[in-house]
Amino acid sequence: MPATPMFPLQVAMLPGEELPLRIFEPRYTAMVSDCLAADDPAFGVVLIAAGREVGGGDVRSDVGAMARIVESADLGGGRYRLRCVMAERIRVVEWQPDDPYPRAAVEHWPDEQGENVDVEAIKDIEDRMIALFERIANARGAQVVARDIVAGADASGDAAMWLYTLASRLPMGQADRYAVLAAPTVAARVGALREAVDTVTAMVEFQLSE
């Protein structure tokens, strides 16, 4: 299985999201140079479970997504500015030596078959997110049309992407984002996102009660 360039981040990126990057570390300069020379300029992105991005020594998660480079600018001196779009989900089969940059054998990981998902269950999550955003706006005295924040999330007609898009608009922690990403089925993703909404709502209510 060929090696895929990998870019561990302290953020769990979800399919469909945009990822802007400024590259300056020598190993990732080499990675970007190799990616741009390839037919498909892409690399895998996974969440750093522990450690930090610069200098290595991190503990990496095994579920991520491919990032496709859609815009690049060579700033000189081994620096690049990139705009990437997150694409299909991947699962790491085996990490390989970081020579000269992180690499892994990966496989695409489409959603597995599971229980059917009722569209109303996703709409319920959407409605709860709207109520949450309205609660935050009212507490801050802000004028926000909360429904606009989630508008268009289901435009693709794809339940998986609908859930990913909703998740990308929820201000949740990285563990919750990773749970949404790593859910094996669409039904499991519904459950993971519902739990994330509950967690954020509870945190907001606690903060507002103080």
Side-chain angles (χ1 to χ4, degrees), residues 4 17 23 85 92 96 113 129 137 171 204 210:
T4 297
E17 289 188 299
I23 304 296
V85 174
V92 173
Q96 301 184 357
Q113 289 189 345
M129 286 177 60
V204 168
E210 291 185 321

Side-chain angles (χ1 to χ4, degrees), residues 20-174:
L21 289 173
R22 284 186 173 271
I23 304 296
F24 56 88
E25 193 178 352
R27 59 180 178 161
Y28 290 122
T29 295
M31 184 196 78
V32 170
S33 179
D34 287 349
C35 287
L36 292 176
D39 293 336
D40 181 14
F43 53 90
V45 175
V46 292
L47 173 68
I48 294 175
R52 53 200 297 265
E53 296 169 14
V54 179
D58 48 20
V59 178
R60 303 160 185 168
S61 301
D62 288 337
V63 178
M66 292 300 295
R68 287 199 158 72
I69 301 172
V70 294
E71 291 181 11
S72 64
D74 187 341
L75 304 178
R79 296 175 300 128
Y80 288 93
R81 184 176 64 245
L82 306 178
R83 185 171 71 87
C84 309
V85 174
M86 303 308 300
E88 65 271 21
R89 186 171 67 164
I90 57 172
R91 183 164 47 187
V92 173
V93 176
E94 180 182 25
W95 284 101
Q96 301 184 357
D98 289 13
D99 184 18
Y101 46 77
R103 300 176 305 144
V106 305
E107 61 183 7
H108 293 173
W109 188 25
D111 286 324
E112 299 172 8
Q113 289 189 345
E115 297 178 6
N116 291 331
V117 172
D118 186 348
V119 170
E120 293 304 316
I122 305 179
K123 288 184 176 179
D124 177 66
I125 292 174
E126 190 174 79
D127 289 341
R128 291 166 67 184
M129 286 177 60
I130 290 169
L132 172 63
F133 296 145
E134 288 176 344
R135 179 79 169 97
I136 296 171
N138 290 337
R140 295 178 176 175
Q143 296 294 322
V144 174
V145 181
R147 189 165 293 278
D148 288 349
I149 300 175
V150 300
D154 61 340
S156 69
D158 183 323
M161 287 306 301
W162 186 0
L163 290 164
Y164 282 136
T165 303
L166 286 174
S168 72
R169 298 174 185 180
L170 182 69
M172 58 181 164
Q174 297 308 316

